Amino acid sequence: MATVLLPLPEDIARGARLLRAAQRIVAFTGAGVSTESGIPDFRSPGGIWSRYRPVLYHEFLGDPEARRRYWRMQRELYPTLAGAQPNAAHRALAALWELGRLDCVITQNIDALHQRAGCPPDCVIELHGNGTRVGCLQCGRTWPRAEVQPRLEAGEDDLRCEACGGLLKPTTVAFGQPMPERELREAQRRAAGCDLMLVIGSTLVVYPAADIPVCALEAGARLIIVNLSATPLDDRADVVLRGHAGPTMEALLAAPAARLEDPPSA
Ligand code: NAD
């Protein structure tokens, strides 16, 4: 990170007062929570969509050339995903969990960095799946994603299940692929039951995931947004923290007004 962008101290203090008052915090994270771990987001300049054209799910299923394009992108991007380490923002959420203040993290990310930072797997709801495994679309068997990387590097570019010959695909949700229903319902339920929604690193434009913070707002929760660029919900947020996710989350938790060791109070 060349220049660290931090929000104004008075905005951090306002956010910290909301943290202190909250009984049940739900975090909603997007690609921006992981850029400081070295994983590019999709839409920022230099992001993934400035270099690749997305492969839609129906193209993946029906077009061998689209699958080859998909696996070429996978082959190139996977080492970054595999080598990434949790950053200060992931660690801050894990610390909130340790303190008993975080109900769950709802994430659009597929990098499993929240779990690796210390959030237990059952406190992380993955709306777009998990890139650390691949599955057969026919027989349903799954394998660690790491096991297929050598096959890609050896030149395979349309991977098939060794057991049944079905198409292999990472266990992530591709564009045009239905979202996992159980995760989506659970995310909506937890969002509707929180009293503070903490959005970190999302443009809030990918639906239906971006509706999750709206569920929280409609149920009366307060809203903090930590993001480098503007989002469609900024006007409805109680506090917008325009800054880098890691240093901003560290400042928020360390702010005297947060007093996170004490029981919550209004
Ligand atoms: P996005 O790429 O649309 O937007 C990311 C947002 O984060 C932007 O608004 C950007 O300004 C902000 N941002 C970037 N770096 C930041 C930082 N250091 N601190 C604070 N804010 C920062 O991402 P999205 O809205 O999450 O949605 C796109 C889709 O991308 C998701 O569905 C997700 O599945 C997928 N995705 C996931 C990963 C990952 O798993 N790490 C990476 C790329 C894309």
Side-chain angles (χ1 to χ4, degrees), residues 30-31 35-36 42-43 108 110-111 128 202-203 227-229 245:
T35 53
E36 289 158 41
F42 278 170
R43 293 176 178 76
Q108 301 178 88
I110 51 101
D111 56 31
H128 294 162
S202 177
T203 43
N227 206 50
L228 281 178
S229 58

Side-chain angles (χ1 to χ4, degrees), residues 195-209:
D195 58 1
L196 177 65
M197 168 64 61
L198 179 55
V199 171
I200 311 172
S202 177
T203 43
L204 297 178
V205 296
V206 178
Y207 285 86

